[in-house]
Amino acid sequence: MRHPVVLCLFVLAAACAPEAGPPTEAQGPPTEGTVAVEGAVLPYRIVGQGRPCIVYGSRILYGGTYSARLATELRCVHFDGRVFLPDAQRRDGLPHGIMEAVADIEAVRAQLGMDSIVVMGNSIVGLVALAYAATYPEHTAFAVSVAGPPSVPFASDSAEAYRTRELSPGRAAQHEATRAKLDSLQAAHPGRGFVPTYIANGALYWADSTYDATGIFEGVLVNDTLFYDLQRTPFAWAEDAPPVSVPVFVALGRHDYVVAPNVWSGVRTPFTDVTVHVFDNAGHWPHMEDPESFDTVVLEWIRAHEARR
């Protein structure tokens, strides 16, 4: 039975499965394909072997930033969420908030015939992963939020305090220099939504404050309307939410000055088993910036929990 764990007006049902029925886990789904949902067709790509894992977001962006080693133990389904599909529409005309994204994950899981999954996401879609785990604990073995906020909106004053305390003079100067290039970046990336601003704010996102993120966004498209829906539609954990036993791993970066490590301090969620790990040599992308440490810590965490079952 699904838990009413969030302060949302409704939880939407998953889209229907194909007429022939979903493949079984033993058969395995095709390497590539699409899942039809109301208002969108979600392309997916599957890499790796092992425990089924759904990585919400973009096949191009996230499919290229998680390591090959991770795919030796996880069979990862990378699928394009609506925010990365310019032609996608809102479901029932409703803002595309956290719970609407959860419904799309459930549609992909059901259509691919996966019973118990690891659900994973980076940045705000890390919060989508946690919301999925809380809504569908019966289908979630583990949830991994990578640099994800604990709510929408989150405690931006805490992040500001972290920046004030931790931002070095050199990084601050680098940030100002890169931000000064925003107009030229917007001209170079017309119709790319948040991408130029993201690149311009690189000193706040990456452990290497000089890193140019242009390359990882090559070929990435953005649905501005749905992206801003996801960023701005409020989401908070209900005070009286029933406990959820799905193990949760929250990966944060020491040099993330946007979703700063301290925004998770004292946060209450319905999860009874939460591990928060700060990667000292990473910013907002610990799985990409410090893949060896990220893979080792996350995979060992999964193995340790499996050994106790």
Side-chain angles (χ1 to χ4, degrees):
M1 180 177 181
R2 295 193 284 271
H3 297 294
V5 296
V6 293
L7 301 178
C8 292
L9 295 178
F10 25 67
V11 176
L12 298 173
C16 60
E19 291 182 6
T24 66
E25 285 195 57
Q27 295 170 324
T31 301
E32 295 187 348
T34 59
V35 172
V37 293
E38 182 185 335
V41 176
L42 311 175
Y44 67 82
R45 179 181 299 131
I46 301 175
V47 296
Q49 56 188 349
R51 179 182 286 279
C53 174
I54 290 182
V55 184
Y56 176 79
S58 162
R59 293 168 302 153
I60 298 172
L61 179 58
Y62 297 113
T65 58
Y66 286 93
S67 77
R69 178 186 172 197
L70 201 68
T72 63
E73 297 193 33
L74 299 176
R75 189 169 84 249
C76 294
V77 179
H78 296 272
F79 82 89
D80 291 352
R82 296 178 195 236
V83 298
F84 293 103
L85 297 171
D87 295 332
Q89 304 295 316
R90 290 168 167 169
R91 186 192 297 264
D92 289 332
L94 302 169
H96 185 68
I98 297 294
M99 293 309 297
E100 286 67 43
V102 164
D104 285 347
I105 293 177
E106 173 58 8
V108 171
R109 182 209 64 78
Q111 190 156 328
L112 296 185
M114 295 177 165
D115 180 33
S116 179
I117 64 170
V118 178
V119 61
M120 187 181 303
N122 171 246
S123 195
I124 193 168
V125 297
L127 178 55
V128 174
L130 299 189
Y132 178 87
T135 309
Y136 294 97
E138 68 273 26
H139 294 305
T140 310
F142 303 100
V144 180
S145 171
V146 185
S151 61
V152 178
F154 63 93
S156 57
D157 54 341
S158 296
E160 181 66 32
Y162 187 84
R163 285 193 293 272
T164 299
R165 184 175 70 250
E166 300 292 338
L167 205 67
S168 69
R171 184 179 291 272
Q174 179 67 44
H175 177 54
E176 290 302 318
T178 311
R179 282 286 299 179
K181 301 176 182 178
L182 179 58
D183 287 346
S184 61
L185 285 168
Q186 289 175 330
H189 299 274
R192 300 287 307 281
F194 71 88
V195 172
T197 304
Y198 201 104
I199 296 169
N201 285 326
L204 302 182
Y205 285 108
W206 303 93
D208 176 1
S209 65
T210 66
Y211 180 72
D212 182 351
T214 301
I216 68 170
F217 289 106
E218 186 69 33
V220 175
L221 303 177
V222 181
N223 185 316
D224 284 344
T225 298
L226 303 189
F227 174 77
Y228 288 114
D229 276 355
L230 195 63
Q231 294 281 340
R232 297 171 181 174
T233 304
F235 176 98
W237 302 104
E239 290 287 339
D240 59 349
V244 179
S245 61
V246 173
V248 165
F249 187 93
V250 178
L252 302 172
R254 182 74 63 194
H255 298 286
D256 187 348
Y257 302 96
V258 179
V259 182
N262 65 337
V263 304
W264 272 89
S265 298
V267 170
R268 296 180 63 184
T269 72
F271 299 103
T272 59
D273 183 350
V274 179
T275 299
V276 177
H277 185 96
V278 179
F279 291 87
D280 289 332
N281 298 316
H284 197 65
W285 297 69
H287 63 288
M288 177 182 170
E289 297 175 86
D290 193 2
E292 183 174 354
S293 295
F294 178 84
D295 295 349
T296 296
V297 172
V298 171
L299 292 175
E300 287 183 353
W301 174 79
I302 290 175
R303 290 190 212 107
H305 278 79
E306 288 179 328
R308 295 199 296 265
R309 290 179 172 175

